Amino acid sequence: MNWFYLILAGIFEIGWPLGLKLSQTMPSKIVGILIAVISMSLSGVFLWLAQKTIPIGTAYAVWTGIGAVGTLLIGIFYFGDSASFWRMFSALLIVIGIVGLKLAN
């Protein structure tokens, strides 16, 4: 169950940079800021729950990795960010690291 919490924490970790970006692109900045604040809060709560049994270093690396790769993909698919070879290769290395941490736990 704690790995489920950690994955949820990582997904909500994607929400706060997305909310900040939306606050810059939407007519109403408040909606984006609310998305960011709510996502930050939920991300923190789920990370806290996950760390009850998952080592802190593993939990933090997985949490930030999901957030980083997820945010990168949102940027590519919805905001027209570059999908260059090196960006995608680097994201793949992060994913490999996340899988490695899970397997080593």
Side-chain angles (χ1 to χ4, degrees):
M1 188 67 171
N2 290 320
W3 279 96
F4 176 72
Y5 290 146
L6 186 56
I7 291 168
L8 278 177
I11 291 169
F12 282 112
E13 181 70 1
I14 298 166
W16 73 264
L18 175 61
L20 293 178
K21 180 67 172 179
L22 291 173
S23 74
Q24 297 170 348
T25 59
M26 295 175 64
S28 173
K29 296 183 184 329
I30 299 298
V31 173
I33 292 170
L34 283 174
I35 290 170
V37 170
I38 291 167
S39 292
M40 280 183 213
S41 300
L42 290 172
S43 179
V45 167
F46 285 118
L47 178 62
W48 175 76
L49 289 169
Q51 287 180 348
K52 289 183 178 183
T53 61
I54 300 171
I56 186 172
T58 301
Y60 184 73
V62 171
W63 177 61
T64 58
I66 293 170
V69 172
T71 303
L72 176 90
L73 294 174
I74 296 267
I76 290 168
F77 291 121
Y78 295 102
F79 296 103
D81 293 353
S82 169
S84 70
F85 169 79
W86 288 111
R87 291 186 87 209
M88 299 310 292
F89 179 72
S90 299
L92 176 64
L93 292 175
I94 293 170
V95 171
I96 290 170
I98 291 169
V99 171
L101 287 169
K102 168 61 175 136
L103 293 175
N105 191 19

